[in-house]
Amino acid sequence: QSALTQPASVSGSPGQSITISCTGTRSDVGGYNYVSWYQHHPGKAPKLMIYDVSNRPSGVSNRFSGSKSGNTASLTISGLQAEDEADYYCSSYTTSSTWVFGGGTKLTVL
Amino acid sequence: EVQLVQSGAEVKKPGESLRISCKGSGYKFTSYWISWVRQMPGKGLEWMGRIDPGDSYTNYSPSFEGHVTISADKSISTAYLQWNSLKASDTAMYYCARADWIGLDYWGQGTLVTISS
């Protein structure tokens, strides 16, 4: 079971939009709509930002949105803010009845 | 308020055993799975496995099967992660999280495990 593939880093200026990709296979991302995204600030517990590909939990800003096409899911953050600087991880259910995370993407707000 | 409170940091020697805990409150403990997630120093999150506290059904990532044991005591709303013989490579932060089909929606504060001779 391999980790999902994410870019190691992305960056953007305040107010801009960025997109983080998450590529898997038909056995995970492509086979299910159970894709979720997590924000992780160092030293704190991760936070669920998107579930079921594109749904936001209560309290999460609508600047965060998710989508999926084939074996690749994406997280888009619009109107970047300094507080968005963090590590982001995607996760998917798999055909082995397990979950798998992506390798993580470090977002830098310039 | 949903809370998951984990046991404190541990320092152990290679070969020793260890069990860390995760106590849930503010919700019906048996209605959600508990998953465990590892983060090694400077690395990403890794899903280790999960337990259904209602019936103690477990399943593990192939990367962790046979190396750790996940258990739960529903009478005290607590889940556990256990090692029988620790290795230096088990040094990491370990998180528990409440889980269902939507994902891991509430997380514990993390337990730092350090293995050193």
Side-chain angles (χ1 to χ4, degrees):
Chain A
Q1 171 174 320
S2 300
L4 307 175
T5 300
Q6 299 181 229
S9 63
V10 298
S11 62
S13 299
Q16 289 186 332
S17 296
I18 62 95
T19 296
I20 299 171
S21 62
C22 169
T23 301
T25 68
R26 290 168 57 186
S27 296
D28 38 64
V29 174
Y32 302 93
N33 285 327
Y34 296 128
V35 175
S36 49
W37 288 89
Y38 301 86
Q39 177 189 66
H40 191 199
H41 288 106
K44 299 185 69 176
K47 177 183 178 182
L48 178 65
M49 305 301 284
I50 295 287
Y51 67 93
D52 291 354
V53 175
S54 60
N55 292 297
R56 283 186 308 276
S58 174
V60 172
S61 170
N62 60 9
R63 297 186 298 106
F64 291 83
S65 62
S67 63
K68 190 184 87 167
S69 177
N71 296 337
T72 298
S74 298
L75 173 71
T76 297
I77 308 173
S78 59
L80 268 180
Q81 299 179 1
E83 67 207 48
D84 299 333
E85 186 163 295
D87 297 320
Y88 290 85
Y89 296 88
C90 62
S91 179
S92 174
Y93 185 66
T94 81
T95 53
S96 301
S97 300
T98 60
W99 273 259
V100 62
F101 281 103
T105 298
K106 182 177 180 60
L107 169 62
T108 300
V109 180
L110 302 170
Chain B
E1 177 192 9
V2 174
Q3 282 193 312
L4 294 173
V5 178
Q6 298 184 227
S7 49
E10 301 274 2
V11 179
K12 292 287 191 179
K13 291 181 166 53
E16 291 185 333
S17 62
L18 175 65
R19 188 177 76 167
I20 61 176
S21 66
C22 168
K23 183 174 177 60
S25 62
Y27 72 100
K28 187 178 181 182
F29 190 66
T30 54
S31 294
Y32 296 83
W33 306 319
I34 293 289
S35 283
W36 286 94
V37 176
R38 181 176 80 175
Q39 185 173 36
M40 298 176 73
K43 303 297 184 181
L45 303 178
E46 299 174 272
W47 187 85
M48 301 176 70
R50 60 163 173 154
I51 187 165
D52 181 337
D55 61 10
S56 291
Y57 169 80
T58 55
N59 69 321
Y60 297 88
S61 163
S63 301
F64 293 93
E65 180 114 47
H67 298 292
V68 297
T69 301
I70 297 172
S71 61
D73 184 341
K74 62 184 179 182
S75 70
I76 54 172
S77 301
T78 301
Y80 301 98
L81 179 64
Q82 179 175 334
W83 296 261
N84 288 333
S85 182
L86 289 158
K87 304 175 183 178
S89 57
D90 293 318
T91 294
M93 179 71 80
Y94 293 88
Y95 294 99
C96 66
R98 191 179 83 163
D100 66 9
W101 291 106
I102 76 163
L104 309 178
D105 59 353
Y106 287 90
W107 293 65
Q109 81 277 18
T111 296
L112 180 63
V113 174
T114 303
I115 312 302
S116 175
S117 54

